[in-house]
């Protein structure tokens, strides 16, 4: 079907219609060989509350945005390369049914469909496109994924210290490494994670220590690999330049960093019941 629709007039018209709905705020979507396969409204589980979003499935990208006027105007366009996507089916909760997670290296989030059949169709088409694209490019499936953010309403207390209670004055924050909802005292550190952002991002205290340990371990591994080279070079004068090596106790966290919230049978609403 993709080969049949590619470079046809009807496909070009469909893509142009999507570009028109996003207007000047969206990016151009027409490319040689790109085919619009389907569209639909899914509920995206956002930080504050679930919200409807329009999704467009192409043979190489997934596009979604906010609905201003359905079929006429959308904004906040997001484009996800399908090569970077991994899917995970999730159990129903009291609030949301027919859920699954869209995981990428930069952002992961949960969506839900209006029916079980609709979810099966979305997942089937997505997996088929991803498989075809990976086969075509020879790439391996993405192994590293960004942590999805736990919704604000999932907990009334900090998920690290388990002491601070959130209120109008006590704000919720999200660790960009584990996605936990944490208080300010438990997330004062920032760490550079180039895969997610060119700027240092807020992380909880536990993840900060883990990231520092990983960075130190990587540096030591690099030095060990370089040691044979330095040993072999002893007795030789460098042609130019100099070589140089640059070389709080906190509360005990009670939430392990790798707790699988989204695959757990426990619903968010019963975390602290």
């Amino acid at each position: 079907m993709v080969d049949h629709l590619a470079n046809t007039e009807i496909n070009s018209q469909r893509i142009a219609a999507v570009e028109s709905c996003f207007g000047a705020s969206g990016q151009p979507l027409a490319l040689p060989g790109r085919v619009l396969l389907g569209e639909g409204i899914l509920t995206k589980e956002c930080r504050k509350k679930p919200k409807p979003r329009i999704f467009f499935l192409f043979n190489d990208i997934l596009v979604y945005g906010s609905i201003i006027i359905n079929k006429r105007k959308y904004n906040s366009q997001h484009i996800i390369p399908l090569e970077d996507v991994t899917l995970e089916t999730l159990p129903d909760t009291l609030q949301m049914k027919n859920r699954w997670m869209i995981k990428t290296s930069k952002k992961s989030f949960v969506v839900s469909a209006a029916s079980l059949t609709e979810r099966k169709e979305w997942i089937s088409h997505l997996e088929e496109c991803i498989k075809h694209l990976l086969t075509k490019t020879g790439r391996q499936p993405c192994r590293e994924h960004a942590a999805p953010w736990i919704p604000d309403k999932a907990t009334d207390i900090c998920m690290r210290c388990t002491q601070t209670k959130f209120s109008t004055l006590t704000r919720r924050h999200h660790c960009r490494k584990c996605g936990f909802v944490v208080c300010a005292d438990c997330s004062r550190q920032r760490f550079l994670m180039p895969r997610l952002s060119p700027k240092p991002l807020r992380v909880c205290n536990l993840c900060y220590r883990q990231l520092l340990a990983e960075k130190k371990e990587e540096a030591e591994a690099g030095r060990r690999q370089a040691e044979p080279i330095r040993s072999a070079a002893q007795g030789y004068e460098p042609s130019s330049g100099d070589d140089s090596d640059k070389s709080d106790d906190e509360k005990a966290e009670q939430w392990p960093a790798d707790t699988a919230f989204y695959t757990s049978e426990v619903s968010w609403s019963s975390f602290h019941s």
Side-chain angles (χ1 to χ4, degrees):
M1 182 180 67
V2 171
D3 293 336
H4 176 71
L5 289 174
N7 303 317
T8 62
E9 182 64 24
I10 188 171
N11 180 63
S12 299
Q13 291 174 355
R14 289 172 177 172
I15 296 178
V18 176
E19 291 179 333
S20 176
C21 288
F22 279 104
S25 64
Q27 298 183 39
L29 299 174
L31 282 179
R34 176 170 289 170
V35 176
L36 176 59
L37 299 176
E39 65 180 84
I41 296 176
L42 300 172
T43 300
K44 181 175 178 288
E45 297 186 4
C46 302
R47 174 179 179 177
K48 297 294 183 182
K49 63 179 181 179
K51 298 178 181 179
R53 294 287 185 261
I54 184 69
F55 281 79
F56 298 95
L57 175 60
F58 295 80
N59 59 326
D60 61 336
I61 59 174
L62 181 66
V63 178
Y64 72 94
S66 300
I67 303 171
I68 306 301
I69 304 174
N70 193 25
K71 301 289 185 180
R72 292 181 59 187
K73 185 174 179 58
Y74 307 124
N75 65 7
S76 301
Q77 184 190 74
H78 297 267
I79 300 177
I80 303 174
L82 290 183
E83 293 177 340
D84 196 33
V85 171
T86 303
L87 306 177
E88 179 182 347
T89 303
L90 301 177
D92 292 345
T93 66
L94 295 176
Q95 297 80 18
M96 304 294 295
K97 299 184 183 301
N98 310 312
R99 306 160 64 237
W100 76 95
M101 188 186 300
I102 298 174
K103 300 190 290 187
T104 78
S105 60
K106 294 185 178 296
K107 183 177 184 179
S108 300
F109 55 92
V110 177
V111 294
S112 61
S115 67
L116 183 60
T117 300
E118 186 178 344
R119 181 180 74 171
K120 288 181 179 179
E121 290 178 351
W122 267 104
I123 292 178
S124 174
H125 290 309
L126 279 163
E127 288 180 340
E128 184 177 353
C129 289
I130 294 168
K131 180 180 178 180
H132 178 76
L133 199 58
L134 291 176
T135 301
K136 182 179 179 181
T137 60
R139 287 187 52 181
Q140 294 297 315
C142 181
R143 301 297 182 187
E144 287 190 72
H145 304 108
W149 285 17
I150 307 297
D152 286 0
K153 292 184 178 180
T155 179
D156 292 328
I157 62 173
C158 173
M159 298 175 72
R160 281 302 179 205
C161 67
T162 69
Q163 301 296 321
T164 302
K165 186 174 178 63
F166 297 119
S167 66
T168 304
L169 298 178
T170 305
R171 290 185 56 200
R172 290 171 168 84
H173 300 279
H174 279 82
C175 171
R176 270 55 170 185
K177 179 67 168 61
C178 67
F180 278 23
V181 184
V182 291
C183 65
D185 287 340
C186 289
S187 60
R188 294 191 179 280
Q189 305 292 346
R190 280 169 170 73
F191 198 88
L192 180 61
M193 293 180 281
R195 180 168 53 88
L196 300 181
S197 172
K199 298 180 180 180
L201 301 174
R202 179 189 292 269
V203 293
C204 67
N205 296 337
L206 178 60
C207 285
Y208 181 72
R209 292 199 299 271
Q210 291 176 339
L211 288 166
L212 280 181
E214 291 172 3
K215 184 177 180 180
K216 181 179 179 181
E217 184 177 345
E218 291 175 359
E220 290 177 350
R223 284 196 293 270
R224 287 194 296 268
Q225 291 178 354
E227 188 61 34
I229 299 176
R230 288 198 297 268
S231 299
Q234 287 181 357
Y236 293 89
E237 291 294 332
S239 58
S240 63
D242 295 323
D243 294 331
S244 62
D245 291 327
K246 296 182 179 179
S247 40
D248 74 51
D249 295 336
E250 298 166 344
K251 301 175 183 177
E253 288 79 5
Q254 301 179 26
W255 295 80
D258 57 352
T259 302
F261 285 95
Y262 286 96
T263 57
S264 170
E265 295 299 326
V266 180
S267 65
W268 293 334
S269 59
S270 63
F271 274 174
H272 306 298
S273 61

